[in-house]
Amino acid sequence: MKNRFLFLLLIALAACSGGRQQLLDEISEKEAIVTKSYEDVLDKSTAESLRQDYWTFADDYPDDSLAPKFLHKAAELSLAIDMTKDAVNTLDTLIERYPEYQFLPDALFFKGFIQENHMKDLAAAKKTYEVFLNRFPKHELAAQVAVTIENIGKSPEELVQEFMARTNQPDSTASD
C-alpha cells in the first residue's frame, strides 16, 4: 500500500513537472506550423490553438519570464486572425500583469495602433497614445506617438493641406 502511494505520488510529480515543458513543446510545434503557413495562407485553426496555448502558459506560469512574451504573441496572433477585441484585451492583461515587461512600450503602442487602424475607435486610440506618452515620454516611439495624436482621424487630403500650409507651398496635387 505504501509503495503504491509513493508510486502514485511520483507519477503525479512527474506529470506536474512535465506540464510546463510539454506545453512549451506544443507551443514550439504550433509556432513552426503557423510560421510556415504565413508563407501561403495562415493556418487559422492552428493559430487559434497556439493563441490559447500562450494564454494557458501565461495563466499557469504567471511568474515565468516567458509569460509576458507569450501574451504579447497572443495579441499579435489575435490580430492576425481578425480577433481585434481579443488582441486589445490581451494587451490590457499584459499591461496590467507585467508593468515591468521589457517591451511594454511596444505593447502599449500596438494597442493604440489596433484601436486606431483596425477598430476605428479613435477616441480610445488617442487615450492609449496619451497614456503611452505619459508613461514613456523618452521612448524612441514617443515622437511618432505625438505626431499620431496630432493627426489622428485626419484624411490624407487634410494632412497634405496642413503640410503645404506649414511649408507655404501651393498644393501641387490640386487641379487648376
Side-chain angles (χ1 to χ4, degrees):
M1 178 77 161
K2 184 177 180 184
N3 286 342
R4 183 178 169 153
F5 174 75
L6 286 174
F7 179 72
L8 292 174
L9 180 63
L10 286 174
I11 289 175
L13 288 173
C16 289
S17 64
R20 178 183 180 279
Q21 189 56 52
Q22 182 177 350
L23 184 55
L24 286 172
D25 291 344
E26 289 174 20
I27 286 171
S28 189
E29 279 181 36
K30 290 175 187 175
E31 283 178 335
I33 292 168
V34 169
T35 299
K36 185 164 177 43
S37 78
Y38 269 120
E39 296 169 8
D40 298 316
V41 176
L42 177 65
D43 180 344
K44 287 188 177 187
S45 175
T46 304
E48 168 57 17
S49 180
L50 177 57
R51 186 189 68 78
Q52 290 175 4
D53 286 349
Y54 285 148
W55 264 102
T56 298
F57 188 94
D59 286 341
D60 290 354
Y61 307 100
D63 296 329
D64 194 296
S65 63
L66 291 172
K69 293 175 187 174
F70 283 167
L71 285 176
H72 204 154
K73 287 182 172 190
E76 291 171 351
L77 267 181
S78 294
L79 183 61
I81 57 177
D82 298 320
M83 297 175 67
T84 53
K85 287 182 183 178
D86 184 77
V88 169
N89 291 337
T90 301
L91 290 166
D92 284 339
T93 299
L94 170 63
I95 292 162
E96 182 181 312
R97 284 188 193 175
Y98 302 99
E100 301 303 318
Y101 174 51
Q102 176 184 3
F103 299 105
L104 191 65
D106 301 279
L108 195 55
F109 178 79
F110 187 41
K111 176 184 172 184
F113 176 84
I114 293 168
Q115 291 168 321
E116 177 187 6
N117 296 291
H118 294 274
M119 300 174 83
K120 305 300 184 200
D121 187 345
L122 302 183
K126 185 175 181 181
K127 182 177 178 183
T128 299
Y129 290 141
E130 289 169 346
V131 168
F132 179 99
L133 286 180
N134 287 331
R135 288 182 72 179
F136 307 106
K138 296 185 187 300
H139 190 272
E140 62 188 36
L141 291 172
Q144 181 179 346
V145 171
V147 170
T148 300
I149 290 171
E150 184 180 315
N151 295 316
I152 200 164
K154 294 180 182 174
S155 70
E157 294 79 19
E158 290 173 299
L159 293 173
V160 168
Q161 287 175 348
E162 287 180 12
F163 175 77
M164 299 309 275
R166 279 196 303 269
T167 59
N168 207 16
Q169 299 287 323
D171 184 352
S172 62
T173 62
S175 13
D176 290 317

